[in-house]
Amino acid sequence: FNGATKEFYSVAQHCCVVSEIVPDEHKAWGLMHDATEAYLGDVVTQLKHLLPFYKTMEDNLMFAISKRFNLPWPMPKVVKEADLRALVTEKRDLLEVDLPWVRALYVPEIPWKIFPDPPIVAESKFLLYAESLGIT
């Protein structure tokens, strides 16, 4: 949500959430699905649709990331579905504003509440999770 949450909520924690809800064989992709944001920044979904060149750069970079970390290409559809489930759950738990475009996604929320971690905790969890998945 590009910083619009009530409390700080990191991309690292978001990626851990996505990884937790995908099948085991896709957990590494779940953890790395937003890795391009480390290089390109976090651009909100609605804006990405208006920037075809950005989407091309993001796709090219994601391909390179997939090769670097030995992830199958393309990213499995189940990861994007989990990303959307995380998004609607984060909207429920972390935002005070209504976002009609999120409501319109019609995907099930995660059945547990998301509590934002402090940045150092989110970073530590992400790195430990990556190590446990063999992402180095």
Side-chain angles (χ1 to χ4, degrees):
F1 298 105
N2 210 18
T5 53
K6 295 183 276 191
E7 298 175 58
F8 175 81
Y9 182 69
S10 71
V11 174
Q13 184 176 355
H14 164 77
C15 290
C16 287
V17 168
V18 171
S19 188
E20 289 172 14
I21 63 173
V22 296
D24 288 349
E25 65 270 21
H26 300 302
K27 289 194 180 300
W29 252 126
L31 195 64
M32 298 302 289
H33 80 278
D34 277 340
T36 59
E37 292 181 14
Y39 305 97
L40 300 176
D42 187 5
V43 175
V44 294
T45 302
Q46 301 84 347
L47 186 54
K48 280 183 188 179
H49 295 303
L50 301 173
L51 302 170
F53 183 70
Y54 178 90
K55 183 67 176 137
T56 299
M57 288 189 318
E58 185 179 51
D59 290 344
N60 290 339
L61 182 54
M62 190 56 82
F63 176 75
I65 289 167
S66 75
K67 293 303 161 207
R68 165 60 181 86
F69 293 105
N70 298 313
L71 301 171
W73 186 257
M75 181 190 313
K77 222 182 255 193
V78 68
V79 175
K80 184 58 184 170
E81 292 164 2
D83 188 28
L84 293 175
R85 288 188 67 204
L87 178 85
V88 298
T89 306
E90 291 157 355
K91 188 256 175 231
R92 177 195 72 198
D93 295 344
L94 305 172
L95 289 179
E96 293 179 335
V97 297
D98 183 37
L99 297 173
W101 67 270
V102 174
R103 256 189 297 116
L105 292 174
Y106 301 111
V107 295
E109 295 172 345
I110 299 167
W112 37 268
K113 185 170 173 55
I114 296 173
F115 297 95
D117 289 328
I120 191 70
V121 173
E123 177 186 17
S124 295
K125 285 181 179 178
F126 180 92
L127 293 173
L128 286 170
Y129 202 11
E131 185 178 354
S132 76
L133 294 171
I135 301 171
T136 56

